[in-house]
Amino acid sequence: MMERDLMDIRAETDELTTDKMWVIMGPQHPFSHGLWTLKVELDGEIITDAEPIVGYLHRGWEKECENRPYAKIVPMADRLCYAASMTYSHLYCMTVEKALDIEVPEKAQYIRVVSDEICRISSHLMWLAAVGTDLGNFTVFLWCMREREYWMDLFVRLCGARMTTNYPRIGGVRNDITDLFDRDVDRCTEHFEKSLWDIITLIDDSSIFVSRMKGTGILTREQCVNLGITGPAMRGNGVDFDIRRDDPYETYGKIDFEVPVMNDGDSYSRYMVRVEELFQSCRIIKQAMQKIRAIGKNAPYRLKVPTNVPACTAMCRLEDPRGESLMYLVADGSGKPYRLKVRSPIFTNVSASKPLVVGSRIADVPAIMAMIDMCLGETDR
Amino acid sequence: MDMSLYPHAVAMSAEEFTTWSSAMINDLLSAGTKKTVDKLTGPIWSWAMKNSMHPLHWGLACCALEMAAASAPRFDAERYGMIYRSSPRQTDILLVNGWISKKIRPEIRRLYEQIPNPKWVVAMGECAISGGPWYDSYNTVQGLDQILPVDVYIPGCPARPDAMIDGFMLLQKKIDDYFARGVFLED
Amino acid sequence: MDTNAVYQKPSEDEIKTLLSEKFGDSVQVTKTETRRVYAIVKRESIHKVCEYIHDNLTFEHISTVIGVDMVSNMRVVYHINNYFNGCVIELTVDVPNEDLHIASISDIWVGGNWHERETWELFGIFFDGHPKLERLLTPDTYEFYPFRKSYKMRGQE
């Protein structure tokens, strides 16, 4: 009797149709870290269509660069991706150096590697903190931010600024590493490797986190590659590619580290890749600091470079915490760039949000989109 | 006050309410009661409001990370009662911490209108103060005060968390002044 | 070399010979470096070249579609990636000012979709066959192409 009733109800509901509804999440929404909008079409709880809207932070960065001398673009590049500010100013300096055809001193290269990895760690920690608040665990936020402060302090020791460091220069870095930085970097790394385990245990032992991340936002390898997703989100989909290892820049070729790759292609594997990257970054920092100490204190760390760049084009790319960043410079022989283009990883990653969220429930959207690690400054430029 | 004078006090239209409340305020003003009530209750309002400042949880750009760092263990802005709320209806402070593009301009205005009175606006960082490094851009508004009345400016690029907390302590003074002026039955 | 075979990890020289054998005049490889190939492509054959690079040379990922205003003409630059050996092909295409149209490659690599939209809205280069050529970054009310050299910003001579 009971069973037949249920069958009847099911037969009736099959004929019922639901109205589809567009829900606009953003630009001010707790799930969007930054200003962007995700329009989703809902059939009940299930997402049937999605459209991301960006551009709320567009300020014409590339056009403004055409109005500035080369040296003045370094602090502007810091403000492209503020969670990992050094990577973009580093990339910009690398691109101009390539156009000038100069090689920076080895010491400067190692210092850049160290500060890039510190950026990666602080950016990933910021991301993990955001994941914590998104998925409903405030302790993760507090612990990650506490750890992040130590890395911010290291930046203060290195160059005096917390976030937008303005530290790389065309032809090297602004100053040599300070004694305090030299002293604290190892302490910080060792402390972090221990305390990271606390955070991981907190997340992996919590069924809330794991059940919301496992099996959501699944893409196949082919989809992921074709959509242009890069970075940890891509390596969680089984693509074994990391510019640091496969197209080495600076001195990454001389450093021994592993590239974590997971094959599941869901949010959880993207999370695992990022956490493993944190450990690898610590490993890189330790090795690079040994090399810096071996080079010695009086080695040069900056070259004198001309203010004008000869007419040419130059392309450079590096592994951002979020994916592949690329800069393309067209120089015309004057003191200002003719055209400077930034390829931001998030710009392409967020364009793939439709295949990521379609088919999942609306409650899973924060868990899926958090794995993209939004940073709107570089997306909108 | 005799409520029987106002038989529609339970349910009245907006027009009726305005007549009713202005008549009531006039009564109180002429009797000097409002001044007394303001003097007595002002400190209570201001104590309550300045110790539970609820800014809008709205991260725009670089300063948003410092805003997050300010509420994290090292700086701990929550000891000043600062709790970020995600809905503008639950907040009283609009904290703008980034450059304002022409595309976001109407949304900022709308968020401001959605916040219930009394409300305050804080411009954090150079971009919100004056356009900052993007002074010649075709797509940014050169300063938040071109579209909203700003109460506190927090300079810095980005402003350090300490600076942000300092700015909010200035805002507390401003809240004090506001309630000392007497606002009973105005909003 | 067999131009129809599928190569997973083509070296720089292989790419150079393959491209010039297959397409003759319309592709001109100007320079090769370690893991970099630079080529100039004629506008008419860009879609065919991209299809070949994607299908036969296994370049699975497109990094960017870049617009450059060279005043005398427009230029579109593609950076295409191989995930197996880290090689990048840079294709440069010149588009004349009178006819700002070029074939869209977003059907080959979906990742190029937004880059083309951006290039269209900032430079006014039309990508034929693009599924959705709408404004992305700037407000809908904009009626100028801000990245063109003819648009001057404050303080720009």
Side-chain angles (χ1 to χ4, degrees):
Chain A
M1 180 66 195
M2 189 71 188
E3 242 171 47
R4 215 187 63 211
D5 278 357
L6 276 175
M7 290 293 283
D8 286 350
I9 292 167
R10 200 164 293 154
E12 275 169 28
T13 46
D14 275 352
E15 286 163 25
L16 289 175
T17 50
T18 45
D19 270 350
K20 292 192 176 168
M21 174 174 68
W22 278 97
V23 174
I24 299 175
M25 304 164 83
Q28 194 268 326
H29 193 276
F31 107 93
S32 63
H33 303 284
L35 299 182
W36 69 291
T37 303
L38 184 66
K39 277 165 73 180
V40 289
E41 193 193 39
L42 293 178
D43 182 6
E45 277 283 290
I46 309 291
I47 296 170
T48 50
D49 195 359
E51 196 199 343
I53 301 169
V54 298
Y56 295 106
L57 281 182
H58 180 65
R59 71 257 197 207
W61 192 90
E62 292 157 17
K63 181 79 179 178
E64 285 186 329
C65 284
E66 293 167 16
N67 207 2
R68 308 265 200 284
Y70 279 101
K72 283 192 182 176
I73 298 172
V74 179
M76 287 178 68
D78 272 337
R79 282 149 185 81
L80 268 178
C81 174
Y82 27 85
S85 57
M86 265 271 311
T87 43
Y88 273 99
S89 37
H90 176 193
L91 173 60
Y92 166 71
C93 292
M94 252 162 61
T95 316
V96 180
E97 280 151 16
K98 191 163 183 210
L100 287 168
D101 199 19
I102 54 171
E103 196 179 343
V104 294
E106 201 187 6
K107 186 168 192 180
Q109 294 191 19
Y110 276 116
I111 295 177
R112 284 177 177 188
V113 167
V114 170
S115 33
D116 254 20
E117 293 307 316
I118 296 178
C119 269
R120 194 181 310 277
I121 290 174
S122 63
S123 163
H124 279 4
L125 278 175
M126 192 69 221
W127 159 80
L128 200 56
V131 171
T133 45
D134 277 356
L135 302 192
N137 192 335
F138 204 63
T139 314
V140 175
F141 171 80
L142 293 176
W143 287 12
C144 289
M145 294 304 283
R146 185 189 67 196
E147 297 308 321
R148 186 171 173 269
E149 286 299 326
Y150 294 118
W151 296 104
M152 295 286 100
D153 279 358
L154 267 186
F155 265 146
V156 175
R157 299 249 189 280
L158 182 64
C159 54
R162 271 166 62 87
M163 262 172 45
T164 42
T165 50
N166 191 11
Y167 182 57
R169 287 288 184 275
I170 301 164
V173 290
R174 191 183 66 197
N175 55 292
D176 200 352
I177 56 164
T178 58
D179 292 342
L180 283 173
F181 178 81
D182 196 13
R183 184 194 74 188
D184 285 354
V185 66
D186 284 346
R187 281 159 77 177
C188 198
T189 318
E190 267 158 38
H191 169 77
F192 178 66
E193 277 177 334
K194 279 188 213 116
S195 55
L196 183 56
W197 277 111
D198 293 349
I199 302 170
I200 297 171
T201 326
L202 191 64
I203 293 178
D204 281 355
D205 283 358
S206 157
S207 58
I208 300 172
F209 271 110
V210 177
S211 63
R212 284 188 75 178
M213 287 195 289
K214 260 199 178 146
T216 55
I218 295 180
L219 289 182
T220 61
R221 184 194 182 277
E222 282 66 35
Q223 263 184 316
C224 174
V225 170
N226 200 265
L227 287 167
I229 295 177
T230 47
M234 168 186 81
R235 287 191 285 277
N237 272 48
V239 185
D240 191 5
F241 184 77
D242 190 318
I243 300 173
R244 286 177 291 169
R245 184 195 62 192
D246 298 320
D247 188 8
Y249 51 94
E250 306 294 12
T251 50
Y252 275 110
K254 298 179 197 163
I255 290 172
D256 173 39
F257 65 101
E258 281 167 25
V259 177
V261 178
M262 298 279 287
N263 290 314
D264 296 347
D266 59 353
S267 295
Y268 190 70
S269 60
R270 286 172 206 141
Y271 151 79
M272 289 288 279
V273 165
R274 279 209 169 84
V275 168
E276 188 56 37
E277 272 186 11
L278 286 172
F279 286 113
Q280 296 300 331
S281 293
C282 290
R283 202 169 141 189
I284 295 171
I285 290 175
K286 277 186 199 161
Q287 290 179 37
M289 280 312 291
Q290 277 175 5
K291 295 271 173 56
I292 291 175
R293 284 175 197 128
I295 288 171
K297 275 209 160 168
N298 297 320
Y301 55 86
R302 187 173 172 184
L303 290 178
K304 219 167 163 51
V305 293
T307 48
N308 287 12
V309 176
C312 66
T313 63
M315 184 273 283
C316 228
R317 57 177 188 161
L318 58 69
E319 188 75 24
D320 195 52
R322 290 161 176 76
E324 176 201 8
S325 303
L326 187 147
M327 269 201 200
Y328 179 73
L329 171 76
V330 182
D332 60 348
S334 69
K336 294 172 180 176
Y338 186 79
R339 165 105 171 99
L340 182 66
K341 157 83 186 180
V342 185
R343 189 253 186 213
S344 117
I346 304 296
F347 183 72
T348 328
N349 286 10
V350 75
S351 75
S353 47
K354 183 181 168 186
L356 273 169
V357 298
V358 164
S360 57
R361 286 164 198 281
I362 188 164
D364 288 334
V365 169
I368 296 167
M369 294 319 288
M371 298 305 148
I372 295 291
D373 192 7
M374 290 303 290
C375 178
L376 266 297
E378 55 168 272
T379 309
D380 299 341
R381 281 154 286 143
Chain B
M1 190 187 89
D2 187 5
M3 287 300 278
S4 65
L5 290 174
Y6 305 100
H8 302 297
V10 181
M12 51 175 86
S13 69
E15 206 176 321
E16 280 171 329
F17 178 77
T18 327
T19 342
W20 173 75
S21 61
S22 54
M24 181 140 162
I25 287 173
N26 282 341
D27 282 2
L28 293 171
L29 277 175
S30 55
T33 325
K34 184 178 182 293
K35 211 173 173 187
T36 320
V37 173
D38 276 342
K39 218 174 190 176
L40 286 173
T41 57
I44 303 175
W45 301 133
S46 115
W47 167 79
M49 192 144 207
K50 77 183 184 193
N51 287 313
S52 66
M53 295 184 286
H54 289 191
L56 185 64
H57 178 256
W58 199 38
L60 277 90
C62 328
C63 293
L65 294 191
E66 297 295 52
M67 174 189 94
S71 59
R74 164 90 51 100
F75 300 99
D76 195 14
E78 273 195 26
R79 61 207 152 121
Y80 296 99
M82 280 171 61
I83 300 171
Y84 299 98
R85 302 299 304 172
S86 289
S87 163
R89 312 275 184 200
Q90 302 170 349
T91 58
D92 43 25
I93 296 168
L94 181 65
L95 173 62
V96 178
N97 42 23
W99 55 90
I100 302 140
S101 73
K102 298 208 167 137
K103 200 170 175 180
I104 197 67
R105 191 168 46 176
E107 269 84 355
I108 287 196
R109 188 70 210 185
R110 178 188 278 188
L111 282 170
Y112 177 75
E113 305 285 354
Q114 280 178 342
I115 296 177
N117 272 326
K119 52 193 165 193
W120 283 273
V121 179
V122 179
M124 180 181 180
E126 291 302 330
C127 304
I129 293 174
S130 66
W134 328 112
Y135 57 87
D136 54 354
S137 168
Y138 57 86
N139 204 36
T140 57
V141 178
Q142 306 300 322
L144 178 63
D145 43 13
Q146 299 203 354
I147 50 173
L148 292 181
V150 180
D151 290 294
V152 175
Y153 297 89
I154 306 171
C157 191
R160 277 183 63 96
D162 342 26
M164 185 194 136
I165 291 172
D166 187 53
F168 273 83
M169 286 167 78
L170 276 179
L171 185 64
Q172 287 185 329
K173 282 183 193 155
K174 195 151 186 174
I175 293 174
D176 251 351
D177 290 350
Y178 176 76
F179 283 104
R181 222 166 53 216
V183 288
F184 181 57
L185 286 182
E186 252 176 30
D187 297 316
Chain C
M1 288 172 80
D2 183 6
T3 51
N4 287 321
V6 175
Y7 298 86
Q8 199 174 57
K9 291 181 182 177
S11 69
E12 299 84 12
D13 295 335
E14 278 174 354
I15 295 169
K16 188 177 175 179
T17 35
L18 280 170
L19 282 180
S20 44
E21 267 179 35
K22 176 90 180 169
F23 296 100
D25 280 350
S26 51
V27 178
Q28 186 197 344
V29 178
T30 48
K31 197 167 69 169
T32 54
E33 289 170 15
T34 334
R35 291 189 292 275
R36 299 280 188 278
V37 178
Y38 303 88
I40 297 173
V41 183
K42 288 220 172 83
R43 177 170 64 138
E44 292 74 28
S45 51
I46 181 68
H47 194 271
K48 261 189 279 169
V49 172
C50 284
E51 224 165 25
Y52 180 74
I53 288 173
H54 177 264
D55 295 344
N56 294 56
L57 304 182
T58 348
F59 277 63
E60 296 173 295
H61 170 63
I62 187 150
S63 292
T64 45
V65 178
I66 302 171
V68 186
D69 185 358
M70 301 306 284
V71 182
S72 57
N73 62 306
M74 288 283 183
R75 182 181 280 177
V76 182
V77 184
Y78 301 81
H79 287 109
I80 307 166
N81 261 1
N82 189 324
Y83 275 150
F84 295 99
N85 58 0
C87 193
V88 180
I89 298 183
E90 181 182 303
L91 302 178
T92 310
V93 185
D94 281 342
V95 185
N97 275 336
E98 307 82 53
D99 182 30
L100 289 174
H101 285 266
I102 189 168
S104 163
I105 48 88
S106 61
D107 54 335
I108 306 172
W109 295 282
V110 184
N113 188 319
W114 274 26
H115 291 294
E116 289 185 347
R117 261 172 91 173
E118 188 202 322
T119 311
W120 168 76
E121 75 166 321
L122 299 176
F123 285 96
I125 302 171
F126 289 86
F127 290 87
D128 300 332
H130 189 282
K132 192 176 180 180
L133 220 49
E134 285 175 17
R135 287 205 166 263
L136 183 67
L137 296 173
T138 49
D140 294 335
T141 49
Y142 273 32
E143 280 169 357
F144 56 95
Y145 299 112
F147 277 34
R148 283 191 183 175
K149 285 285 168 188
S150 53
Y151 178 79
K152 302 281 181 206
M153 295 209 306
R154 218 182 306 161
Q156 205 174 19
E157 70 280 349

